[in-house]
Amino acid sequence: NAGVTQTPKFQVLKTGQSMTLQCAQDMNHEYMSWYRQDPGMGLRLIHYSVGAGITDQGEVPNGYNVSRSTTEDFPLRLLSAAPSQTSVYFCASSRTSYNSPLHFGNGTRLTVT
Amino acid sequence: EDQVTQSPEALRLQEGESSSLNCSYTVSGLRGLFWYRQDPGKGPEFLFTLYSAGEEKEKERLKATLTKKESFLHITAPKPEDSATYLCAVQANSGYALNFGKGTSLLVTP
């Protein structure tokens, strides 16, 4: 099993550009989520999904969209990149939406200039 | 509002010098408390889940304990390979999200 795979590993965008961060898991996990990690802030939840076709907002959803058309994939879309979105983004999945440990990908480091 | 506070922010130990990391939390009904290890440039790696006060879990040199207000991660006779950032997170009964602390950066020197 590959676990949780995130692509790309690194990305540089200009302000106003859009892009999609990809996330795929091969563990048949029900729950998937996106976090951002900033120095001194800890991990903060952006969006999550409890199953295919179901998504909801986390703590910091503004400027991001998600969809979950399959169990395996959970892409994160930046609609119009801003310097405040410079961060490391982690995708995570778990077997169920509660009491199951999250399995994290290795992150995408995004810089917006 | 749920809050998770980890201390110290950074800890430097000599190899073999045991210590503890603290995770204090406030949550409206604890569903679970999670400990993760994060190496530089990697995603967090799951270590333990604790569900109720008094519970303890062990893995190699690590032991996690839980009270009604805090959790401790005890590191016994650490080795340099234990150097990492240790993250604590709580999940409340009311939702799905894990609320993470800012982490403790541990450096173990030979």
Side-chain angles (χ1 to χ4, degrees):
Chain A
N1 285 353
V4 178
T5 302
Q6 291 185 240
T7 56
K9 285 185 170 40
F10 301 95
Q11 183 71 48
V12 179
L13 290 179
K14 295 191 175 182
T15 297
Q17 288 184 318
S18 62
M19 79 158 294
T20 299
L21 279 62
Q22 301 292 343
C23 174
Q25 54 93 5
D26 62 359
M27 298 172 282
N28 200 30
H29 282 174
E30 169 186 286
Y31 180 84
M32 296 187 75
S33 54
W34 277 101
Y35 284 84
R36 60 178 289 174
Q37 187 173 41
D38 302 291
M41 298 290 292
L43 284 156
R44 292 181 292 167
L45 182 64
I46 305 171
H47 284 286
Y48 65 92
S49 168
V50 298
I54 306 168
T55 64
D56 207 345
Q57 296 180 353
E59 180 186 354
V60 288
N62 292 342
Y64 308 95
N65 269 358
V66 291
S67 59
R68 183 107 178 260
S69 55
T70 67
T71 300
E72 295 78 21
D73 300 299
F74 191 44
L76 178 72
R77 280 181 279 280
L78 279 69
L79 308 172
S80 176
S84 61
Q85 293 179 304
T86 293
S87 187
V88 181
Y89 291 86
F90 288 100
C91 179
S93 71
S94 60
R95 188 172 55 82
T96 62
S97 52
Y98 57 90
N99 286 354
S100 287
L102 287 173
H103 297 257
F104 284 83
N106 280 328
T108 294
R109 183 174 294 274
L110 175 68
T111 302
V112 183
T113 61
Chain B
E1 183 180 319
D2 301 343
Q3 282 197 327
V4 180
T5 304
Q6 291 188 245
S7 61
E9 288 185 15
L11 181 63
R12 184 182 180 122
L13 299 173
Q14 284 207 315
E15 185 171 3
E17 180 187 0
S18 301
S19 187
S20 297
L21 313 182
N22 178 263
C23 172
S24 297
Y25 65 92
T26 54
V27 64
S28 53
L30 179 70
R31 178 171 277 158
L33 185 141
F34 300 80
W35 281 99
Y36 289 84
R37 168 194 171 122
Q38 186 174 23
D39 293 300
K42 302 285 189 182
E45 177 187 345
F46 170 72
L47 293 173
F48 304 108
T49 309
L50 301 167
Y51 297 106
S52 57
E55 190 174 0
E56 298 182 351
K57 293 215 174 144
E58 285 189 70
K59 179 180 179 179
E60 296 180 358
R61 295 176 292 282
L62 299 177
K63 178 179 175 181
T65 62
L66 181 65
T67 73
K68 287 187 178 178
K69 293 187 178 180
E70 57 192 350
S71 177
F72 291 93
L73 185 65
H74 306 279
I75 303 177
T76 302
K79 299 182 178 182
E81 53 261 42
D82 294 322
S83 297
T85 296
Y86 291 85
L87 302 172
C88 170
V90 298
Q91 187 177 43
N93 283 330
S94 56
Y96 303 115
L98 257 63
N99 190 355
F100 281 84
K102 295 179 183 178
T104 293
S105 177
L106 174 65
L107 177 63
V108 182
T109 57

